[in-house]
Amino acid sequence: MKELFTYKEFIKMMQKYGIKHKKRKLKRNENVMTNTSNPNSVILLIKGYISSYTCESPETLLSVFEPGVFLSYSILEDLPPLVTNIALSEECIVYEYRKEDIEYALSLFPENFGFQYFFLKKIGRHLYYKALLNAKDHQEKLYYAIKYLGKLIGEKDGKGNIVLPSEITIKILIEYSTLSKAAFYRQRIRLIEEEILKPHKKTFLVPKKVVKNSEKQLTSI
């Protein structure tokens, strides 16, 4: 069922209806909405990673989103922008759709309702794991921040380890975990010593044994 309602299938569906989009390339650190053709556009991330910060607290990193996420979904709910989205990758590609076209495609055809469910589920997973992280004890913040980001946007290598994207820098981990720099480095040293976390090229790796343990402990949605 899930394979029927991916963002790639959504793009094909919109093309079938003759609904056009604007393709945009973003550079690292560019605000997604800076060069938008319309502030009410709905933005679909196609390539790269985006860091999302809450408008009420601009220094608070909500999550790091992967391709297939609608970055301005609140527009469909007739709400003002709730987050600020910043390009993390050297090159990000987004498709920009008119709000009215998205509403037309998702509301008038019952066979398309599944797209809305899976798009909301993808956003919901990020909010779910961020809420779990916020409830963790301070001394466990980095441990769970890495686990949750691994589940959300990490990729398994040939040995079963989870590798985080190179965009997940120390700065991003500090912001996502909500730790101070001093607390972050203390916890980082401990996790490396206990082989829970391993530096890997320009990013980090979660060993297979930790991945298996997390799969038993964490609830997925």
Side-chain angles (χ1 to χ4, degrees):
M1 178 65 71
K2 181 179 179 181
E3 288 71 23
L4 297 175
F5 297 103
T6 65
Y7 75 96
K8 293 180 181 179
E9 291 300 318
F10 175 82
I11 294 170
K12 290 180 182 178
M13 177 198 71
M14 297 295 273
Q15 291 173 340
K16 182 180 71 174
Y17 292 153
I19 297 176
K20 297 181 179 180
H21 63 265
K22 178 182 178 181
K23 180 179 178 180
R24 292 170 51 211
K25 292 184 178 180
L26 311 175
K27 297 180 180 179
R28 179 181 288 182
N29 296 324
E30 181 178 344
N31 187 319
V32 172
M33 300 305 290
T34 297
N35 295 308
T36 183
S37 58
N38 189 317
N40 285 326
S41 295
V42 182
I43 309 294
L44 177 62
L45 179 61
I46 301 299
K47 178 183 178 182
Y49 293 90
I50 294 287
S51 56
S52 189
Y53 298 83
T54 62
C55 291
E56 292 183 352
S57 182
E59 73 283 356
T60 301
L61 176 61
L62 182 63
S63 196
V64 176
F65 290 108
E66 74 279 26
V69 170
F70 271 110
L71 300 172
S72 49
Y73 207 86
S74 62
I75 290 174
L76 295 177
E77 303 293 333
D78 294 319
L79 296 173
L82 302 177
V83 296
T84 300
N85 296 302
I86 306 295
L88 264 184
S89 303
E90 286 293 342
E91 180 183 86
C92 287
I93 295 177
V94 297
Y95 285 1
E96 188 174 323
Y97 291 95
R98 293 175 62 248
K99 173 187 175 183
E100 295 79 8
D101 290 338
I102 296 289
E103 291 176 332
Y104 169 79
L106 294 182
S107 62
L108 294 185
F109 304 95
E111 64 270 24
N112 296 337
F113 291 171
F115 285 111
Q116 187 152 307
Y117 167 77
F118 283 105
F119 285 145
L120 287 173
K121 180 179 179 180
K122 186 179 283 286
I123 296 171
R125 290 186 79 242
H126 284 267
L127 300 180
Y128 171 74
Y129 284 116
K130 185 64 173 180
L132 288 181
L133 178 63
N134 289 340
K136 296 300 180 184
D137 291 337
H138 182 269
Q139 63 269 23
E140 297 180 327
K141 289 283 189 180
L142 182 57
Y143 173 72
Y144 281 100
I146 291 168
K147 274 192 176 183
Y148 295 159
L149 284 174
K151 290 181 74 68
L152 289 166
I153 60 173
E155 293 187 2
K156 280 191 178 182
D157 64 14
K159 298 180 180 179
N161 306 308
I162 292 291
V163 179
L164 296 177
S166 59
E167 287 85 351
I168 305 303
T169 60
I170 287 176
K171 176 180 180 292
I172 291 297
L173 280 176
I174 290 174
E175 292 179 351
Y176 187 73
S177 64
T178 69
L179 292 168
S180 66
K181 287 186 178 180
F184 170 84
Y185 282 107
R186 283 197 302 270
Q187 293 186 26
R188 178 176 179 265
I189 291 172
R190 176 175 61 84
L191 293 179
I192 291 175
E193 288 177 345
E194 296 176 359
E195 297 186 344
I196 294 173
L197 174 66
K198 291 183 179 181
H200 179 74
K201 297 181 180 180
K202 294 183 179 181
T203 184
F204 300 94
L205 177 149
V206 182
K208 180 179 179 180
K209 62 181 180 181
V210 179
V211 175
K212 283 189 174 181
N213 186 44
S214 69
E215 288 174 348
K216 293 178 181 179
Q217 291 179 351
L218 300 178
T219 303
S220 61
I221 58 173

